[in-house]
Amino acid sequence: MSGQGRLGDLLGIEHPIVQGPFGGGLSSVALTAAVSEGGGLGSYGAHILTPTAITVLVTELKAATNRPFAVNLWVPLEGERSALPDNAVFTAHAERLRPYYDELDAAAPAYEDVEALPDFDDQIDALLAAEPPVISFVMGIPPRRVVDEARRRGIALIGTATTVDEAVALDDAGLDAIVASGSDAGGHRGAFLAPVRESLVGTFSLVPQIADVVTGPVIAAGGIADGRGIRAALTLGADAVQIGTAFLATRESGASDAHKRQLGTPAARTTVLTRLFSGRTARGIPNRFVRDMAAYEDAVPPYPIQNALMQPIRRAAAAQGRPEYVNLWAGQAAALAGDDLDAREYLAHLVKELPSQGVPFGSHRAR
């Protein structure tokens, strides 16, 4: 199937395999470039980067590969980027975490030091100006001006849907391709039209429904780590697959060693949805922190406040090799991840497992 398919025609990639974008420092230029050089679409999660850092990133990626790659941004939810509580409330939330700061010898962030997230409009303007081959989005629909400017510059746009309704909205907005992100997927859930609890559709239920109602290529994401999952997704109507967790386990990813050591093991057979690490719902491997703090799932502050409070704990735990306090983002196929593979080696293995001939796509019935 190499070199075939609508996504390949759209993006100029050889194989129907997209590397999932990782936020929070888990992406790396080396991983993105390795996947792109191998004929897939490498991706880099840039949602925490300043506009200046985004400009530098795209320059580095273009120097590392002359193949197509994607840079990913989060579309902000209304009010999320100005959600700083007053000092007393912030301090109370920090005190709840005091035992963990103390155990890890980490300093709790001071109220005045919590920085606002980079402005999305400034980020996207810098990204458009840098002209990566592909820009992908999670958490929402980019503004109309972004779609128009990307089209003018020849940049392909990929949106992410967790429900059929979200896919229809993205298709109507003019995005070029859509990731069907099933509830199996690791990391943050990207629901934006309904609450997360109403948007948990499994990958292999979601893909055929989206394939039937959108016009552009569909990329299946969630619970896919080997050729069996790829073939199943293509049979159900996907044009390609997006694989995250298994690429997170490769040598080139920015995940900590403590994180990587949990992937591909029996511990990764179980995952949970939790708000405890960032304030937004995300799927990961349960550990001591998740179990100890389970009673506070609904009490922790929203993103980005909880994210800022947890950052010193996560970083200290990763540096000390203590996975019990690390956000072990992982999808439901995490136990299938390989051990100590480089990204090109893993991608080549996937390519060998691709069907030799194309499989039928969805019927794309009129909605």
Side-chain angles (χ1 to χ4, degrees):
M1 180 150 182
S2 299
Q4 300 177 13
R6 295 189 301 165
L7 194 70
D9 294 341
L10 172 67
L11 304 181
I13 59 175
E14 297 174 35
H15 310 303
I17 298 171
V18 178
Q19 170 240 318
F22 311 123
L26 300 182
S27 288
S28 74
V29 170
L31 174 58
T32 305
V35 175
S36 292
E37 285 292 293
L41 182 70
S43 305
Y44 194 107
H47 78 276
I48 63 171
L49 299 185
T50 65
T52 299
I54 286 173
T55 301
V56 172
L57 168 67
V58 176
T59 299
E60 292 178 346
L61 286 168
K62 287 181 176 179
T65 180
N66 60 7
R67 305 283 187 94
F69 61 84
V71 178
N72 179 270
L73 289 179
W74 289 15
V75 178
L77 297 177
E78 185 176 356
E80 187 174 66
R81 298 193 171 220
S82 58
L84 187 63
D86 64 39
N87 198 338
V89 173
F90 179 86
T91 300
H93 287 305
E95 284 305 306
R96 183 190 298 127
L97 298 171
R98 178 63 56 190
Y100 302 101
Y101 296 131
D102 292 345
E103 182 175 344
L104 293 164
D105 195 25
Y111 180 79
E112 57 272 15
D113 293 336
V114 176
E115 298 179 357
L117 292 169
D119 182 78
F120 174 79
D121 288 327
D122 293 341
Q123 286 181 313
I124 193 61
D125 286 346
L127 190 51
L128 288 166
E131 295 189 348
V134 184
I135 299 174
S136 64
F137 298 95
V138 292
M139 313 292 184
I141 303 171
R144 180 75 244 176
R145 71 170 186 87
V146 172
V147 177
D148 292 342
E149 183 63 13
R151 186 162 290 122
R152 188 183 74 81
R153 292 175 178 267
I155 302 170
L157 298 182
I158 299 175
T160 304
T162 66
T163 66
V164 178
D165 289 344
E166 290 178 355
V168 171
L170 290 164
D171 194 45
D172 287 345
L175 277 77
D176 298 296
I178 295 171
V179 175
S181 179
S183 57
D184 321 43
H188 287 93
R189 300 305 304 148
F192 59 90
L193 289 184
V196 170
R197 67 180 180 275
E198 298 176 18
S199 307
L200 297 174
V201 185
T203 303
F204 295 114
S205 296
L206 186 63
V207 167
Q209 295 181 74
I210 289 181
D212 278 354
V213 297
V214 301
T215 56
V218 175
I219 304 164
I224 301 170
D226 60 21
R228 294 170 294 182
I230 295 173
R231 291 191 294 272
L234 297 178
T235 299
L236 289 170
D239 298 273
V241 299
Q242 179 172 288
I243 296 175
T245 305
F247 276 115
L248 194 64
T250 63
R251 296 170 193 159
E252 292 90 342
S253 95
S256 66
D257 289 341
H259 191 167
K260 290 180 183 180
R261 284 196 299 270
Q262 301 301 304
L263 303 175
T265 70
R269 293 172 184 165
T270 300
T271 60
V272 296
L273 294 170
T274 180
R275 295 180 61 247
L276 292 171
F277 285 104
S278 72
R280 294 198 73 160
T281 303
R283 183 176 294 284
I285 300 168
N287 55 12
R288 177 181 168 184
F289 182 80
V290 170
R291 294 184 176 105
D292 286 354
M293 296 289 289
Y296 299 101
E297 278 285 352
D298 295 330
V300 299
Y303 180 89
I305 305 310
Q306 181 69 2
N307 191 62
L309 289 167
M310 286 298 300
Q311 190 175 75
I313 293 171
R314 297 194 309 261
R315 287 181 174 174
Q320 296 172 30
R322 301 184 64 177
E324 64 266 34
Y325 300 129
V326 174
N327 49 318
L328 302 173
W329 298 150
Q332 289 187 318
L336 298 177
D339 179 34
D340 197 33
L341 293 176
D342 66 53
R344 285 288 294 271
E345 181 182 6
Y346 173 57
L347 179 61
H349 180 70
L350 293 175
V351 170
K352 288 180 181 178
E353 294 188 331
L354 290 174
S356 58
Q357 297 183 2
V359 295
F361 292 136
S363 61
H364 303 289
R365 292 192 296 267
R367 57 179 187 268

